[in-house]
């Protein structure tokens, strides 16, 4: 382990994109700069305000230092390691500071119970005061732009929408004396409660924005990808039936799952986490699978002179070519040219039988007959021709 001397009560530390570490020296009103390549102090003290506490770096490379007892923020140019803006006035006893995705700096003011917003493009105060709970002591901003402020005096967390700089909803109760807050890659918020010896976990309700592919067979088995936010710990239903093989990525923004069997037509997709549910109404469409069929017809057993029937039935058997199984309960139409001889329904063996006694003459004159299955929503049509055989 390496020990780098930094006197006068070092408190906050951050690392800039240039690789240097910036350390606040609370009782010296200065910030030290450490070269992280050599682990040596290259600048003992950049003058800042009184009792600097926290420091963070914006995407523009500037470091923002909260000065607790001078009620201001000092901006340091990390390219020159000098104070770019010595003092930006904020609330009373500024403590935590964090940068939002929009580039603005958010400063929690411990004694004035508010948050000040600084425009880092101009280094001016954008919003002087957003009221929060008592004694804000921790502050973190999530990738979605929501800022979470830990209020140590009221044992709760205030949520600020950094797009509108307004408070979202009611404060969220946590443990006693929360002082630290951090956002995990999966979207969960972790709050350290100093006095209760615990960490509170906040999970926001899920959102669901898309599914791909958007359709699949009624038999299920389609692997789909769902996109959204706060999906960690989610279960998935499609058309009210649970999906299988549910897997959520580390950031809680994507789910892969396998569709269950479902009825033909649109189905609502729902994800449920401990924080709530979100749905895509009619987000997935089940498509009925069409199976090819085969129809075989048995030749009529008869003779013309003198007319005689050796077997009283015309028979046709229907088979599902995908499953290889006979198809029961389907209507088969028997015809001779344009003349319909009659219809019959297939039995458990897939066979339909039509009495040929009354239609013998037509069958004999035309040299046989035709059998036809018209098809259904899931079975394709098929037909067959059978001749006449004299035993």
């Amino acid at each position: 382990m390496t020990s780098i001397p930094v006197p006068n009560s070092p408190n906050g530390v951050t690392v800039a994109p240039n690789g240097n570490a910036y350390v606040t020296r609370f009782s010296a009103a200065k910030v030290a700069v450490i070269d992280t390549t050599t682990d040596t102090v290259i600048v003992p003290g950049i003058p800042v305000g009184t009792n600097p506490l926290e420091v963070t770096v914006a995407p523009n490379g500037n470091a923002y230092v909260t000065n607790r007892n001078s009620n201001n923020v000092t901006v340091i140019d990390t390219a020159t390691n000098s104070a770019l803006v010595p003092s930006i006035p904020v609330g009373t006893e500024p403590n935590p500071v964090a940068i939002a995705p929009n580039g603005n700096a958010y400063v929690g003011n411990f004694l004035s119970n508010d948050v000040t917003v600084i425009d880092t493009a101009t280094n001016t105060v954008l919003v002087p005061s957003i009221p929060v709970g008592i004694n804000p002591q921790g502050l973190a901003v999530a990738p979605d732009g929501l800022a979470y402020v830990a209020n140590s005096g009221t044992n709760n967390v205030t949520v600020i929408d950094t797009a509108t700089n307004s408070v979202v909803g009611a404060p969220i109760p946590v443990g006693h004396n929360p002082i630290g807050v951090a956002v995990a890659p999966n979207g969960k918020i972790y709050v350290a409660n100093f006095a209760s010896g615990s960490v509170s976990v906040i999970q926001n309700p899920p959102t669901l924005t898309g599914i791909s592919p958007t359709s699949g067979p009624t038999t299920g088995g389609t692997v789909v990808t769902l996109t959204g936010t706060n999906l960690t710990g989610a279960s998935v239903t499609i058309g009210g039936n649970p999906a299988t093989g549910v897997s959520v990525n580390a950031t809680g923004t994507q789910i892969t799952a396998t569709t269950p069997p479902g009825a033909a037509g649109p189905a609502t997709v729902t994800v449920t986490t401990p924080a709530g549910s979100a749905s895509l109404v009619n987000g997935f469409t089940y498509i009925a699978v069409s199976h090819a069929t085969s129809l075989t017809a048995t030749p009529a057993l008869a003779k013309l002179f003198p007319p005689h029937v050796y077997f009283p039935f015309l028979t046709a058997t229907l088979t599902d070519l995908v499953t290889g199984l006979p198809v029961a309960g389907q209507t088969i139409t028997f015809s001779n040219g344009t003349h319909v001889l009659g219809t019959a329904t297939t039995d458990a063996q897939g066979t339909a039988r039509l009495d040929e006694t009354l239609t013998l003459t037509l069958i004999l004159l035309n040299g046989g007959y035709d059998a036809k299955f018209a098809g259904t929503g899931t079975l394709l049509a098929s037909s067959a021709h059978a001749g006449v055989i004299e035993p």
Side-chain angles (χ1 to χ4, degrees), residues 21-101:
Y22 291 77
V23 183
T24 60
R25 296 170 58 192
F26 183 80
S27 59
K30 293 180 180 179
V31 169
V33 185
I34 297 173
D35 183 336
T36 59
T37 302
T38 62
D39 286 334
T40 57
V41 175
I42 58 175
V43 181
I46 302 170
V48 291
T50 306
N51 300 134
L53 271 179
E54 300 295 335
V55 56
T56 192
V57 178
N60 60 15
N62 292 336
Y64 291 78
V65 182
T66 56
N67 304 304
R68 179 171 183 172
N69 288 334
S70 55
N71 302 326
N72 59 15
V73 168
T74 299
V75 184
I76 295 174
D77 183 343
T78 61
T80 62
N81 288 325
S82 60
L84 180 65
V85 181
S87 176
I88 300 175
V90 290
T92 306
E93 290 197 8
N95 192 333
V97 57
I99 307 298

Side-chain angles (χ1 to χ4, degrees), residues 300-325:
L301 298 177
K303 68 176 181 179
L304 184 57
F305 300 109
H308 181 74
V309 176
Y310 290 96
F311 185 72
F313 295 104
L314 305 176
T315 62
T317 301
L318 182 65
T319 304
D320 185 326
L321 291 180
V322 174
T323 64
L325 300 174

Side-chain angles (χ1 to χ4, degrees), residues 2-391:
T2 302
S3 180
I4 305 170
V6 178
N8 308 113
S9 309
N11 191 83
V13 61
T14 192
V15 177
N18 62 14
N20 292 336
Y22 291 77
V23 183
T24 60
R25 296 170 58 192
F26 183 80
S27 59
K30 293 180 180 179
V31 169
V33 185
I34 297 173
D35 183 336
T36 59
T37 302
T38 62
D39 286 334
T40 57
V41 175
I42 58 175
V43 181
I46 302 170
V48 291
T50 306
N51 300 134
L53 271 179
E54 300 295 335
V55 56
T56 192
V57 178
N60 60 15
N62 292 336
Y64 291 78
V65 182
T66 56
N67 304 304
R68 179 171 183 172
N69 288 334
S70 55
N71 302 326
N72 59 15
V73 168
T74 299
V75 184
I76 295 174
D77 183 343
T78 61
T80 62
N81 288 325
S82 60
L84 180 65
V85 181
S87 176
I88 300 175
V90 290
T92 306
E93 290 197 8
N95 192 333
V97 57
I99 307 298
N102 60 17
N104 292 335
Y106 287 75
V107 179
N109 303 302
F110 186 78
L111 282 188
S112 56
N113 307 321
D114 59 5
V115 169
T116 299
V117 185
I118 297 173
D119 184 341
T120 61
T122 61
N123 289 321
T124 57
V125 172
L126 182 65
V127 181
S129 175
I130 302 174
V132 292
I134 297 174
N135 302 144
Q137 202 163 353
L139 199 159
V141 184
D144 61 5
L146 294 180
Y148 296 84
V149 184
N151 306 303
S152 61
T154 44
N155 304 322
N156 56 24
V157 170
T158 299
V159 183
I160 297 173
D161 184 345
T162 62
T164 60
N165 289 322
S166 59
V167 173
V168 178
I172 302 170
V174 290
H176 188 61
N177 196 205
I179 62 173
V181 59
V183 180
N186 61 15
K188 292 182 179 179
I189 316 301
Y190 290 79
V191 182
N193 306 302
F194 182 81
S196 57
S198 65
V199 173
S200 298
V201 182
I202 299 171
Q203 184 172 0
N204 288 317
T207 66
L208 200 53
T209 56
I211 181 172
S212 178
T214 57
S215 63
T218 55
T219 52
T222 302
V223 177
V224 294
T225 299
L226 308 175
T227 53
T229 60
N230 305 315
L231 301 176
T232 299
S235 60
V236 180
T237 61
I238 301 177
N241 300 314
T244 58
V246 176
S247 176
V248 186
N249 69 351
T251 58
T253 57
Q254 182 173 291
I255 297 175
T256 57
T258 301
T259 62
T268 295
V269 180
T270 300
V271 296
T272 302
T273 72
S277 299
S279 296
L280 291 174
V281 177
N282 297 335
F284 186 82
T285 301
Y286 280 107
I287 299 173
V289 180
S290 295
H291 288 194
T293 62
S294 172
L295 192 62
T296 57
T298 303
L301 298 177
K303 68 176 181 179
L304 184 57
F305 300 109
H308 181 74
V309 176
Y310 290 96
F311 185 72
F313 295 104
L314 305 176
T315 62
T317 301
L318 182 65
T319 304
D320 185 326
L321 291 180
V322 174
T323 64
L325 300 174
V327 182
Q330 302 300 321
T331 300
I332 306 299
T333 300
F334 296 85
S335 62
N336 187 279
T338 59
H339 183 78
V340 175
L341 302 175
T343 61
T345 302
T346 56
D347 59 17
Q349 287 71 46
T351 300
R353 294 175 174 82
L354 181 71
D355 189 334
E356 67 171 310
T357 304
L358 299 179
T359 57
L360 172 63
T361 303
L362 283 173
I363 295 171
L364 293 174
L365 289 174
N366 288 279
Y369 68 96
D370 296 303
K372 182 177 181 181
F373 170 57
T376 67
T378 57
L379 296 170
L380 298 178
S382 56
S383 61
H385 176 77
V388 177
I389 294 179
E390 182 178 347

